[in-house]
Amino acid sequence: MKRNYKVLLLTVLLAFASCSFTAKTFDDSDKDKMLIHIIKSVLEQLHFDPIAMDDAFSAELFSDYIETIDPLKRYFYESDYKDFEKYKLTIDDQIQISDITFFNVTHERMIKRIQEAKSLYKEVLSKPFDYTKDEVFDTNSDNIAYAKNRKELKERWRQQLKFSTLTNYDDIYTQEKQAKEKDPSYVMKTEKEIEKEAREAMLKSLDIYFNDNIDDLKREDYFAVYVNAIVEEFDPHTYYLAPRSKEVFDQRMSGKLEGIGAGLQKRMDYIKITYLVSGGPAWRGKELEIDDVILKVKQENEEVPISIVGMRIDDAIKLIKGPKGTKVTLTIKKIDGTIKDVTITRDIVELGETYAKASMVEKNNKKFGVINLPSFYLDFNDYKKLNAAADVKKEIERLKAEGMEGLVLDLRNNGGGSLPAVVDMAGLFIKDGPIVQVRSTGKPKEVLKDKDKSIAWDGPLVILVNEISASASEIMAAAMQDYKRAIIIGSKQTYGKGTVQNVMNLNNIVRNNTAGDLGALALTTQKYYRINGGSVQLEGVKSDVKVPGRFSYIDVGEKDKDNPLPWDEIDAADYAVWDSYFDYDKTINKSKERMSNNEQLKLIDENAKWVKSKIDETLVPLNYEKYKAVNDMNELESKRFDAISNYKTNLTFTSHTYEKKLFESDTTDLKEKRERWHQSLSKDVYIEEALNVLEDLKMSYAIKKVATIKD
């Protein structure tokens, strides 16, 4: 199918060509200045709503950047802040001429303060904490000022570390009490011994944090944070992707990667295996295990392996990963101390749980289907090979073969993804017509349409959403709501992201670039609108049936972010409401009535309010008795919410026939994964109500059709 979004992509590429990125020259080694020049030019020429880089911009950037690099105010002194403040209104001027003085000053000071912090936390943790002292710690760093001197800064570290160590202390103390209750002859550790053990655990944790994370950061990592601070002043969804981040982004969008299929983590100079991806090369080989340490890496065309002990984890990953079909030999140290070489043939590792999955359920002799879609994924290199729309269509066909009479499309926690994928997916449920409208600055709107007259599913449809459902999820829900094609059940509103981003490879912009990989920029280039002309920006999609959830009172939406673009509206597209015998209004009213009397939802709402109240409490007692009393009270209060997780419907969910056949030859634990999912569905009050709505829609269809025929 030919789509209008192809025209949009072409427009962006043409805009690229018009940018004057070669008007300024730099030394080959001055990569940072070049990057600032490119970023500034792209933002000014291609951003949907570019803002003026003036003194007001500079002041905002100054505050946001300083807060980003030292959020807890435990590195910089008040004098440092005053030194930095000299640049508060001149950062914009520096950006205009690709000057990075402000970054250099803050970076050099940060490196110095980090080294000082290492001695500070070790000094603090070398002495016992007095948990009988009556003092409190404010977890909200906005309420505290910068320390004036080393004495004040050390005291800040002391309070923060005492607060952090309290959890360790409480855990050990509780374990000791339980051991004593289980065995009266057990000799409990003294409070002094417990305090020392808790403090030593915190010391070890901080040593790991600084050694394996902070010390591994290069200057380019810090500079990426600075660049990100600049671009995020334009809107929350414009962000810089350093070379490594771009690779991770592509993997997340496609749901797959090339490599051995193992999770890696650095621990005190050693790279450890933390998990194996089910079905991946390492998992299939059965030689690697969790907690194995990788000492060396050898490529198939190399004779001598390379030691990765002490190497940055990003650099180690580059050696271990590689193209499908190539071999890599890892020198492994097992938990028992034995050392062995393991050769693995790299392959495509599919992160299957990011893909669409389906289930069947029977209710009152009616068969319904549930499709869960975690994201609107696609393969950037081959859209036809992998995309969410094609997978959902396949699942629909498999459910129809089982006799499906109604469908639930679960988009809860789906943060969005591919625009082409959502346009194609919406087309599965209507004959043809507009799906979403897209507008670029100074250009006529584009209406992205479904032109394929075939319909994959024309029966009852319910879409589940929550406050985390964003972007492509909102396009899907909004289109189905405007067509009156589906009933939307979920949060008061969805996330409220009404913008479209294009990921631009910055290396393609500079001719004859010898400075190395420049990374990419996710840039807001357009806004999208419902086919009724309204925007979901800030306001989201309002559910037909509103139900409380765990995010109901927490600030998680677009309206709660910094620098969001404003809400607006445009003319409606030309579309016709879905022609059917379903009585949506009556069905929605019945659902609202059921939900208003649902005890489980009332409890969920109370829990959401309670959680919000705890988030708002920022003062924590550092006296152990008072800390314990607060924790015990919270635990006692929380017990009344245990019924939420104990809730169970009388519904039984099963896999469709196609998937059951896969179980017979499965080597990826697919059956176990599906059984766990089915169990969670059987305890899901939202799924339960979605099925009730499908049942009501079926009933309303029969009644309305009979009434229409009689008329």
Side-chain angles (χ1 to χ4, degrees):
M1 287 181 289
K2 201 170 181 180
R3 300 287 186 192
N4 283 343
Y5 55 72
K6 294 179 180 176
V7 177
L8 294 175
L9 293 176
L10 178 60
T11 301
V12 171
L13 292 174
L14 290 174
F16 256 151
S18 68
C19 294
S20 304
F21 296 120
T22 56
K24 192 175 181 73
T25 57
F26 300 94
D27 295 335
D28 289 344
S29 61
D30 213 345
K31 178 180 175 182
D32 294 342
K33 291 184 179 181
M34 178 189 292
L35 184 58
I36 289 291
H37 176 60
I38 294 170
I39 291 288
K40 179 186 79 72
S41 300
V42 170
L43 289 170
E44 290 177 339
Q45 298 184 47
L46 297 181
H47 191 274
F48 176 81
D49 188 17
I51 59 177
M53 292 191 188
D54 53 16
D55 286 355
F57 168 87
S58 184
E60 282 294 320
L61 173 58
F62 172 82
S63 298
D64 293 341
Y65 176 61
I66 297 300
E67 183 178 355
T68 297
I69 59 177
D70 188 16
L72 301 179
K73 297 177 182 173
R74 63 178 184 178
Y75 292 121
F76 294 139
Y77 292 106
E78 184 182 88
S79 58
D80 293 327
Y81 186 83
K82 288 180 178 178
D83 286 344
F84 302 153
E85 209 168 17
K86 299 171 187 174
Y87 302 95
K88 187 172 184 177
L89 300 181
T90 62
I91 307 173
D92 58 314
D93 302 315
Q94 291 184 19
I95 293 173
Q96 294 298 332
I97 59 173
S98 304
D99 185 347
I100 55 174
T101 300
F102 174 64
F103 167 76
N104 287 335
V105 170
T106 55
H107 175 62
E108 289 168 10
R109 194 71 55 88
M110 172 60 82
I111 297 303
K112 180 181 180 182
R113 297 305 183 218
I114 285 174
Q115 295 308 312
E116 293 171 357
K118 290 181 181 180
S119 62
L120 273 175
Y121 81 74
K122 288 174 182 175
E123 282 180 35
V124 169
L125 292 172
S126 66
K127 297 178 181 178
F129 289 124
D130 181 0
Y131 290 122
T132 65
K133 188 177 180 181
D134 197 10
E135 57 181 337
V136 295
F137 175 68
D138 193 342
T139 58
N140 186 352
S141 59
D142 291 340
N143 297 331
I144 59 174
Y146 287 97
K148 290 184 174 62
N149 49 49
R150 191 178 190 278
K151 182 179 179 182
E152 282 189 13
L153 192 61
K154 183 178 178 180
E155 172 61 14
R156 178 156 303 160
W157 274 93
R158 185 195 69 79
Q159 286 197 340
Q160 289 178 349
L161 293 180
K162 185 177 181 181
F163 164 67
S164 301
T165 308
L166 258 175
T167 304
N168 293 343
Y169 183 92
D170 186 42
D171 287 344
I172 299 169
Y173 187 80
T174 301
Q175 290 169 9
E176 289 296 300
K177 282 184 66 178
Q178 290 173 345
K180 183 68 174 178
E181 290 169 0
K182 189 176 181 180
D183 180 8
S185 65
Y186 178 78
V187 179
M188 286 181 61
K189 294 174 183 175
T190 64
E191 291 185 5
K192 185 177 180 180
E193 290 172 328
I194 293 173
E195 187 280 331
K196 183 180 179 183
E197 186 177 334
R199 191 161 30 89
E200 288 176 345
M202 178 53 62
L203 177 62
K204 183 178 180 181
S205 177
L206 278 175
D207 284 342
I208 290 173
Y209 171 71
F210 277 91
N211 184 73
D212 298 347
N213 295 283
I214 300 298
D215 288 353
D216 265 6
L217 294 175
K218 294 182 178 179
R219 186 182 188 280
E220 64 192 58
D221 299 314
Y222 288 99
F223 193 69
V225 174
Y226 178 59
V227 173
N228 232 334
I230 294 172
V231 302
E232 286 180 353
E233 292 300 323
F234 282 69
D235 76 278
H237 305 290
T238 291
Y239 53 91
Y240 173 63
L241 290 159
R244 169 66 183 153
S245 300
K246 173 63 167 60
E247 186 179 347
V248 173
F249 174 85
D250 289 344
Q251 291 170 4
R252 189 174 72 245
M253 285 296 292
S254 67
K256 66 181 183 179
L257 54 87
E258 286 184 299
I260 66 171
L264 306 177
Q265 191 174 47
K266 189 174 180 182
R267 278 290 178 265
M268 301 303 290
D269 284 337
Y270 290 100
I271 306 294
K272 274 190 171 186
I273 294 174
T274 55
Y275 67 87
L276 302 176
V277 178
S278 296
W283 185 88
R284 293 196 302 265
K286 298 181 180 180
E287 291 187 88
L288 292 185
E289 297 175 296
I290 293 173
D291 283 337
D292 282 352
V293 174
I294 305 176
L295 302 175
K296 300 176 184 178
V297 180
K298 185 172 78 69
Q299 311 302 327
E300 60 184 353
N301 59 347
E302 296 176 345
E303 293 185 7
V304 180
I306 297 174
S307 172
I308 63 170
V309 176
M311 186 179 289
R312 293 176 77 242
I313 190 164
D314 284 355
D315 295 332
I317 288 172
K318 288 177 184 177
L319 292 175
I320 296 168
K321 286 180 60 180
K324 174 184 177 180
T326 59
K327 294 182 179 180
V328 62
T329 299
L330 308 178
T331 301
I332 301 296
K333 183 177 182 181
K334 309 296 285 187
I335 297 177
D336 62 6
T338 59
I339 296 175
K340 63 182 292 189
D341 286 344
V342 177
T343 299
I344 301 171
T345 301
R346 301 176 176 112
D347 201 350
I348 299 292
V349 181
E350 294 193 346
L351 310 177
E353 291 308 294
T354 65
Y355 297 150
K357 56 187 176 184
S359 175
M360 289 293 301
V361 60
E362 191 167 324
K363 185 177 187 294
N364 296 331
N365 298 317
K366 294 183 180 67
K367 292 183 177 180
F368 299 114
V370 177
I371 295 179
N372 176 269
L373 187 69
S375 69
F376 286 81
Y377 51 85
L378 85 164
D379 187 330
F380 281 113
N381 298 315
D382 191 347
Y383 180 76
K384 291 183 178 179
K385 184 178 179 182
L386 176 68
N387 72 80
D391 286 355
V392 167
K393 184 177 182 180
K394 289 175 185 175
E395 295 298 344
I396 289 174
E397 295 304 324
R398 291 162 185 163
L399 293 169
K400 283 165 63 177
E402 305 278 312
M404 176 176 69
E405 299 176 64
L407 174 64
V408 179
L409 179 61
D410 190 352
L411 300 182
R412 290 174 297 176
N413 304 319
N414 184 321
S418 163
L419 182 59
V422 69
V423 172
D424 283 348
M425 192 180 300
L428 300 176
F429 304 101
I430 63 170
K431 186 177 180 182
D432 57 12
I435 303 301
V436 64
Q437 304 186 90
V438 184
R439 185 170 68 87
S440 303
T441 302
K443 296 178 182 178
K445 71 177 184 182
E446 292 281 347
V447 181
L448 307 189
K449 299 180 178 180
D450 166 47
K451 296 182 179 179
D452 185 345
K453 294 184 182 297
S454 65
I455 302 174
W457 177 247
D458 62 358
L461 177 64
V462 168
I463 295 178
L464 287 176
V465 296
N466 63 4
E467 292 88 349
I468 308 300
S469 303
S471 191
S473 293
E474 295 176 288
I475 292 175
M476 182 71 189
M480 296 300 98
Q481 191 177 59
D482 289 343
Y483 273 110
K484 266 204 162 179
R485 177 63 189 91
I487 289 178
I488 313 301
I489 300 177
S491 51
K492 181 180 178 182
Q493 70 166 69
T494 52
Y495 189 88
K497 179 182 179 291
T499 56
V500 180
Q501 286 70 41
N502 281 279
V503 179
M504 303 177 180
N505 190 331
L506 299 179
N507 298 294
N508 297 335
I509 299 176
V510 182
R511 293 192 292 272
N512 303 318
N513 174 30
T514 58
D517 197 340
L518 297 170
L521 183 67
L523 182 71
T524 297
T525 55
Q526 300 160 323
K527 286 180 78 173
Y528 72 80
Y529 301 81
R530 302 172 68 132
I531 55 177
N532 69 7
S535 172
V536 304
Q537 179 66 13
L538 303 182
E539 294 193 358
V541 177
K542 309 259 190 311
S543 297
D544 298 312
V545 180
K546 299 175 181 63
V547 289
R550 57 178 176 156
F551 302 112
S552 292
Y553 302 97
I554 302 174
D555 298 335
V556 295
E558 180 86 355
K559 64 183 183 300
D560 304 306
K561 302 301 178 185
D562 293 330
N563 313 312
L565 296 185
W567 179 91
D568 63 342
E569 59 184 333
I570 60 175
D571 294 336
D574 184 16
Y575 72 101
V577 172
W578 178 257
D579 184 19
S580 75
Y581 290 105
F582 297 123
D583 192 333
Y584 283 96
D585 294 336
K586 184 177 180 180
T587 302
I588 288 170
N589 288 333
K590 287 181 69 175
S591 180
K592 286 180 177 178
E593 186 177 351
R594 268 194 305 268
M595 294 296 89
S596 65
N597 297 314
N598 188 296
E599 294 302 320
Q600 174 76 348
L601 288 177
K602 288 179 182 178
L603 193 60
I604 289 173
D605 188 53
E606 289 176 23
N607 181 238
K609 289 177 181 176
W610 182 76
V611 169
K612 178 65 167 72
S613 71
K614 297 304 160 188
I615 291 174
D616 291 341
E617 293 175 2
T618 63
L619 294 178
V620 182
L622 297 182
N623 174 289
Y624 179 65
E625 291 300 324
K626 292 185 177 180
Y627 172 85
K628 184 66 174 172
V630 170
N631 275 6
D632 289 345
M633 179 63 71
N634 288 340
E635 189 174 339
L636 186 63
E637 288 179 0
S638 68
K639 285 187 182 300
R640 66 190 177 101
F641 302 119
D642 288 348
I644 294 175
S645 57
N646 295 332
Y647 185 78
K648 192 154 183 8
T649 69
N650 60 355
L651 301 169
T652 301
F653 295 81
T654 60
S655 293
H656 47 59
T657 303
Y658 175 85
E659 198 165 65
K660 287 177 180 176
K661 289 181 180 178
L662 294 179
F663 295 161
E664 298 173 6
S665 57
D666 174 53
T667 58
T668 64
D669 299 327
L670 180 62
K671 184 178 180 182
E672 182 181 349
K673 291 175 184 176
R674 289 297 181 264
E675 286 174 349
R676 289 183 183 180
W677 179 47
H678 294 158
Q679 186 177 15
S680 69
L681 289 177
S682 70
K683 302 172 70 175
D684 193 327
V685 66
Y686 306 102
I687 288 287
E688 181 183 38
E689 178 55 21
L691 297 174
N692 288 335
V693 169
L694 288 178
E695 197 171 26
D696 289 344
L697 280 174
K698 286 282 293 179
M699 186 70 71
S700 74
Y701 179 89
I703 295 172
K704 199 171 180 181
K705 187 172 183 180
V706 169
T708 303
I709 292 172
K710 285 182 178 180
D711 291 342

